[in-house]
Amino acid sequence: FIVDGFNVSAKSEVSILYARFIRQLKAHRPPKTLPKHLPQNGVSVSARRFAEGRAFEVWSGLCVTANVIIMMTGHRSASDSFQEFIYWQNLAFLIELVAECLLLAVAYGPRGFFRDGWRVLDLMVAFGTSLGYILQNNTASQFAKGFRLLRVVRLLRIFPPVRIILETLLASIPQLGNVVLLLVLVYTIFAVVATQLFAVTMYGQRLGPTASFDSFGSSMLTILMIVQAGDEWQVMWNDCSVEPPYCTAQFSSAHVYGWTGPEYEFGDCGTRWAGLFFVLVNVVCACVMLNLYIGMILNNFAFITDDVAHIPDAQWSTGPSGDQVAEVSQKFRLFDAGTGRLPVVAVRAFLQSLPQPLGFLDEKGNMVYGKIERALEKLIRSELYVLVKEERERIGKGRFRSRWRSKFGGGLASSARFWNSVPYDQVVLTCLFWRMPQMVPVLVKAGRHERIQDVVLTMHALTLKEFLLKRVGRRKRQQLQGVLDEKRRLKEGKAEGEGAFS
């Protein structure tokens, strides 16, 4: 039921395909690696070409696999020869890892090196392992050995099904974070209420040092145990429902005979409404909120199984695969100069480099650029100009803020190397809207109604501009042709005169 509730917004097949495409688009967003961040000397270029090759990836994966397999052979009461073998193989793989980090540092430079999380992980593993060898400390060595196992995660990227699961889990972390935040908020409300109601309630069969509501922290822990493990909440309900004469209604001389302490307005009794509190905790926290969290996870895994079982085709009839979207991202990187933005003037070249159905290349690699393709290319270019205008209007409203952001390295000025440029997501989505409208849900099409009007006006303006440029070009060609004809006649007349004179 929870999973079906998450899929309410994606009832139709088109909505499911569109949602999956959006998720793949975000997963394969090209990194912003400006060329100025990468060293351009010959050694760095050669090292970068080698580091991005398949052979280097396979070699690195084999080294990690061999190191992990040998580490798995460790056992208690190992012989001296075996321990010496383990020591030297760890040292050999450490040298290989340090050499790999040095190669990547030379290839990408300091800024480019630290822009990749996997490279930073390798550097941390190398540093931690080296620290264990330098200190000659068993604790540090064991910590470094366990930390080295994290490199196994990098191997998961080699296998497509496992890579899809890993990328989907990483992409779902922000969604899970929102649900966890809501869950903590609900837990906090119930913990505060429990502290107000049962902070001074006398201990009973279950209510005691290991489960109490004496403070906010203990209340949070107790509610967490109730939701996760039950923790005999029925017995706790009975303890919190205690009433006189089994408890003291108020610590004062009026209620306790011979009372000599300070006069208080509270006692150690519970309330008869304690059952309602515990029932609400179980219904709201356990049955609703926790299932909401589980439903989010199951919903993401539903996308995973859909991606794994998806059979792609060249025309995207059942939606694109992750590899096909990755190919689009790879083609985009040829034109963005590492900024993550495409100049509008490069739209035609970008579309002509993409295979169908998003681009103009057929399955044989031939260009298909007829009247329909020209019209669609002009519509795509017009909408990108509209997006540029909308972005400038947003920046104009926050001009002071954007000025300070650009001064300190943020905002449009630092990322938009081109004046008329559009981010990767908007470029690909615009191509999808015009090239494959059958993959766009009806609600998304309805939301684009106002923008379409601006797109049509922009297209008319571009058509008029191209017409005027053609007229001006034709007139200039005619003028230039007249000048050339006049020079040719003068040259011919001069040649005839010289011939007659001779």
Side-chain angles (χ1 to χ4, degrees):
F1 175 76
I2 295 292
V3 178
D4 292 339
F6 274 103
N7 292 326
V8 167
S9 60
K11 290 181 180 180
S12 64
E13 183 69 21
V14 175
S15 300
I16 295 175
L17 295 179
Y18 184 76
R20 187 176 64 188
F21 179 76
I22 294 295
R23 184 170 50 84
Q24 292 173 340
L25 201 61
K26 295 179 180 179
H28 297 283
R29 183 181 289 115
K32 294 182 180 180
T33 306
L34 297 178
K36 64 180 181 180
H37 295 164
L38 301 177
Q40 300 299 326
N41 58 80
V43 177
S44 298
V45 171
S46 301
R48 189 159 58 247
R49 187 181 300 112
F50 175 73
E52 294 176 353
R54 181 66 178 175
F56 178 78
E57 182 181 1
V58 173
W59 168 255
S60 179
L62 289 177
C63 290
V64 175
T65 304
N67 192 12
V68 172
I69 292 176
I70 295 175
M71 290 174 61
M72 291 170 58
T73 61
H75 55 278
R76 187 177 181 181
S77 302
S79 62
D80 294 339
S81 60
F82 182 80
Q83 291 182 0
E84 184 178 1
F85 168 73
I86 292 294
Y87 174 83
W88 286 109
Q89 69 88 25
N90 284 333
L91 182 60
F93 283 116
L94 173 61
I95 295 174
E96 185 275 334
L97 179 59
V98 172
E100 185 176 328
C101 292
L102 291 177
L103 174 66
L104 294 174
V106 172
Y108 295 96
R111 298 186 66 178
F113 182 89
F114 287 101
R115 292 176 75 92
D116 188 282
W118 296 107
R119 300 171 197 153
V120 176
L121 176 63
D122 290 342
L123 181 62
M124 294 175 63
V125 171
F127 178 78
T129 308
S130 303
L131 189 64
Y133 276 97
I134 294 173
L135 297 178
Q136 293 296 324
N137 189 301
N138 291 331
T139 303
S141 299
Q142 293 296 328
F143 173 77
K145 185 184 296 184
F147 201 70
R148 192 161 60 246
L149 293 175
L150 293 176
R151 294 196 74 202
V152 181
V153 180
R154 188 169 185 174
L155 296 177
L156 301 179
R157 304 179 63 189
I158 302 177
F159 307 101
V162 182
R163 185 188 64 201
I164 292 174
I165 295 175
L166 180 62
E167 292 176 350
T168 305
L169 288 178
L170 293 177
S172 63
I173 288 178
Q175 302 176 10
L176 297 179
N178 295 332
V179 177
V180 170
L181 182 61
L182 180 59
L183 194 63
V184 171
L185 179 61
V186 174
Y187 277 28
T188 301
I189 294 174
F190 278 102
V192 171
V193 173
T195 304
Q196 295 294 324
L197 293 178
F198 311 117
V200 295
T201 302
M202 63 181 298
Y203 290 169
Q205 291 180 308
R206 183 65 188 93
L207 194 66
T210 59
S212 66
F213 302 100
D214 299 342
S215 62
F216 174 77
S218 60
S219 298
M220 284 286 288
L221 183 60
T222 302
I223 292 176
L224 181 63
M225 294 302 297
I226 290 175
V227 175
Q228 296 294 332
D231 199 18
E232 299 179 329
W233 64 273
Q234 300 90 343
V235 181
M236 205 178 302
W237 172 0
N238 185 60
D239 294 339
C240 292
S241 301
V242 62
E243 293 183 345
Y246 303 103
C247 60
T248 303
Q250 185 175 342
F251 297 120
S252 63
S253 57
H255 293 79
V256 180
Y257 177 75
W259 177 263
T260 57
E263 299 288 330
Y264 295 107
E265 297 182 356
F266 60 85
D268 57 359
C269 293
T271 174
R272 67 180 63 181
W273 301 103
L276 178 62
F277 171 80
F278 285 97
V279 169
L280 287 176
V281 167
N282 280 275
V283 171
V284 176
C285 294
C287 297
V288 177
M289 299 305 302
L290 191 59
N291 284 329
L292 184 67
Y293 182 80
I294 296 174
M296 177 69 73
I297 296 177
L298 294 178
N299 184 60
N300 290 322
F301 270 97
F303 280 113
I304 293 175
T305 55
D306 187 25
D307 286 344
V308 173
H310 177 251
I311 301 177
D313 59 353
Q315 297 300 322
W316 295 11
S317 58
T318 57
S321 64
D323 293 336
Q324 290 173 326
V325 178
E327 182 182 1
V328 175
S329 176
Q330 184 179 4
K331 296 295 184 181
F332 185 89
R333 295 178 63 182
L334 299 176
F335 302 93
D336 70 339
T339 62
R341 303 174 68 92
L342 179 73
V344 180
V345 294
V347 171
R348 178 178 299 175
F350 174 63
L351 291 174
Q352 291 178 350
S353 67
L354 288 178
Q356 292 178 342
L358 210 60
F360 297 150
L361 293 179
D362 59 11
E363 297 180 0
K364 297 181 179 179
N366 299 323
M367 181 70 62
V368 180
Y369 195 64
K371 293 183 179 179
I372 298 178
E373 285 75 19
R374 289 189 179 89
L376 290 176
E377 182 263 327
K378 186 176 294 185
L379 286 169
I380 293 172
R381 187 152 47 96
S382 302
E383 182 163 355
L384 294 183
Y385 276 121
V386 172
L387 292 174
V388 171
K389 184 195 72 171
E390 293 177 354
E391 185 177 18
R392 289 179 183 173
E393 290 177 352
R394 290 194 301 268
I395 295 175
K397 293 180 181 179
R399 183 172 299 173
F400 179 79
R401 182 179 60 184
S402 63
R403 183 184 304 150
W404 282 95
R405 289 185 61 191
S406 61
K407 178 179 290 189
F408 291 100
L412 181 64
S414 63
S415 60
R417 187 179 179 183
F418 310 104
W419 178 243
N420 292 326
S421 60
V422 184
Y424 163 76
D425 297 350
Q426 295 182 354
V427 171
V428 180
L429 281 178
T430 303
C431 296
L432 182 76
F433 292 151
W434 293 105
R435 293 287 290 166
M436 296 194 67
Q438 66 273 17
M439 272 188 59
V440 183
V442 177
L443 293 178
V444 177
K445 293 179 179 179
R448 289 168 41 82
H449 177 70
E450 295 183 358
R451 181 181 295 171
I452 292 299
Q453 297 178 358
D454 294 338
V455 171
V456 173
L457 292 176
T458 305
M459 187 188 67
H460 290 329
L462 289 176
T463 304
L464 181 60
K465 176 184 175 181
E466 292 177 357
F467 173 76
L468 294 177
L469 288 176
K470 288 181 180 180
R471 295 289 297 178
V472 172
R474 184 180 303 173
R475 180 176 300 177
K476 287 185 177 181
R477 284 196 301 270
Q478 292 176 354
Q479 293 176 354
L480 182 61
Q481 187 65 37
V483 173
L484 293 176
D485 293 341
E486 183 67 24
K487 288 184 177 181
R488 186 174 63 254
R489 286 195 298 269
L490 291 175
K491 187 176 181 180
E492 292 176 353
K494 182 178 180 181
E496 292 177 357
E498 291 178 351
F501 180 76
S502 60

